[in-house]
Structure formats: C-alpha cells, structure tokens
Amino acid sequence: MSIFFSYIFLGLSLSAPMGPINAAQLDKGIRYGFWHSWLVGVGGMGADAIFMLAIYFGLAPFIDTPVIQLILWMSGAFILIFTGIESIAKSHELTQPQQGEEGESKKKSLWTGFIMALSNPLSIIFWLGIYGSILAQTTTSYGTGHLLLYSLGIFIGITIWDITMAFIATGARKYVHPGALRFISILSGVVMFGFGIYFAIRAAAVLFV
C-alpha cells in the first residue's frame, strides 16, 4: 500500500510544475468557474492515458519519429500561441462584471485540455521517460499485474492536482480583485504563448536540420 501511495504522490509531483495545462486551467477557472477549469485537466488526463497506452503497446518508436514530432511541434505551437493570444486579448473582460459559467461550453474546455496535451511533444517525451521506466521496473519486480494498480495511483495524483487547481482558480474568481484576475489571465496567456514559441522553434529545428 505504501508503494501505491508513493505513485499517487508521483502523480501529484508530475502535475505541479507550471505548464500549458495549468495555465489553461487558471484561465478557464477565473473566467467560467470550477467545472471548466477541472474539465481542462480531465482532457489533459485523456491525452496522458493515450500516451501511456501507446508506450505500453510499444508504439513509442513510431511516435518518436521525426515526421510525427514535426507535426506535433507545429500543431502544439499553433494551438498554444492562439490560446495564449486569446487569453491576453480577452483579459479586459475580467475587469467587467464577471460572466456566468454559460460563457463557454464545458465540452469546449474538455477538448481544449485534450488537444493541448495531445499536441504537446513534451508530454510524449515526459511519459516516455517516466512511464517507460515505471513499466520496466514494475514488470521486472512485480509482473504486469501491478502495472494497472500503479498507473491508477498516478492518475489519482493527477486528479487531485487538477481538482486543487480548479479550486484555486474558482477561489480567485470569487475573492480576488478583477484587476488581479486580469493580471493572472495575462500571465497565463504569456505562459501558453511562450510554450508555443518554444514549440515553433523546435519545429523549425526538426524541419531544417
């Protein structure tokens, strides 16, 4: 059981660093509320599950080919730059009376998280390193029977972090001054835009090397 809890903690640790998904959760949460923020995280978890299954079934070498990497870097750059600019451009709305949760469909928030995570090559590299090593270690030490249990532990940790981020964003939406909310929205947009530029540079490196 202690090993299982250690994998929950691993899931928390993997989710905590600020990245595109966390920035998008903050932005959606302060605009539309808890459910939109949490669904961005759920969408990201769906992409994580696809990566884990791809690694488990041995598809990692295909995903890691230059052509696929180029497509992912370019699509990730486009999505993050567009989302970042949109977040910055719409930040002025947060200084006006706050919108209700009907301002955007929950389905769109879910798809935002999913597409953002699925088109993020860093996620692939990340899961190749982390989950690939977990796969090797667990299979060697315990057999494949424990792999599902420990994978579940990782997802529980990610879920806990996503819910925490959604509560943080919702709390900010309710209790923080609109001017500060605008700053958070702009900062979230800058983070996403910055990752988008980084992805574009990596795409150019793959294309011209």
Side-chain angles (χ1 to χ4, degrees):
M1 186 59 72
S2 61
I3 298 176
F4 178 71
F5 280 111
S6 71
Y7 279 95
I8 293 178
F9 183 74
L10 175 63
L12 278 166
S13 303
L14 298 178
S15 303
M18 176 58 83
I21 295 295
N22 284 345
Q25 280 192 279
L26 277 176
D27 186 58
K28 296 294 184 184
I30 62 177
R31 291 177 186 279
Y32 309 115
F34 174 86
W35 291 109
H36 288 79
S37 178
W38 182 62
L39 286 171
V40 171
V42 171
M45 286 175 58
D48 291 339
I50 290 176
F51 293 142
M52 293 170 77
L53 286 171
I55 295 167
Y56 180 80
F57 288 109
L59 298 177
F62 170 75
I63 296 174
D64 206 31
T65 58
V67 173
I68 300 300
Q69 286 289 306
L70 177 62
I71 293 171
L72 289 170
W73 285 122
M74 291 179 66
S75 59
F78 173 78
I79 291 166
L80 288 173
I81 290 173
F82 175 80
T83 308
I85 291 175
E86 183 181 46
S87 176
I88 295 170
K90 292 184 176 180
S91 62
H92 68 279
E93 296 175 0
L94 296 170
T95 59
Q96 300 169 0
Q98 293 189 4
Q99 306 173 54
E101 294 194 9
E102 69 278 1
E104 179 177 289
S105 72
K106 295 181 177 67
K107 187 175 182 180
K108 182 178 178 181
S109 295
L110 179 69
W111 277 106
T112 295
F114 179 75
I115 298 299
M116 192 176 288
L118 191 66
S119 62
N120 184 353
L122 293 180
S123 294
I124 300 172
I125 296 169
F126 174 80
W127 284 111
L128 279 173
I130 298 297
Y131 195 67
S133 62
I134 290 173
L135 184 65
Q137 178 185 350
T138 304
T139 303
T140 302
S141 303
Y142 307 105
T144 56
H146 288 76
L147 185 62
L148 179 60
L149 179 65
Y150 294 153
S151 300
L152 177 62
I154 294 174
F155 268 90
I156 290 174
I158 295 173
T159 301
I160 292 171
W161 179 256
D162 287 341
I163 292 173
T164 301
M165 284 294 296
F167 273 119
I168 290 172
T170 305
R173 181 179 184 238
K174 290 181 178 179
Y175 302 112
V176 177
H177 188 273
L181 291 181
R182 183 183 183 191
F183 173 78
I184 294 171
S185 181
I186 292 174
L187 183 61
S188 298
V190 168
V191 169
M192 288 185 279
F193 183 83
F195 273 101
I197 295 296
Y198 172 72
F199 287 5
I201 293 171
R202 293 298 298 267
V206 173
L207 186 61
F208 296 112
V209 169

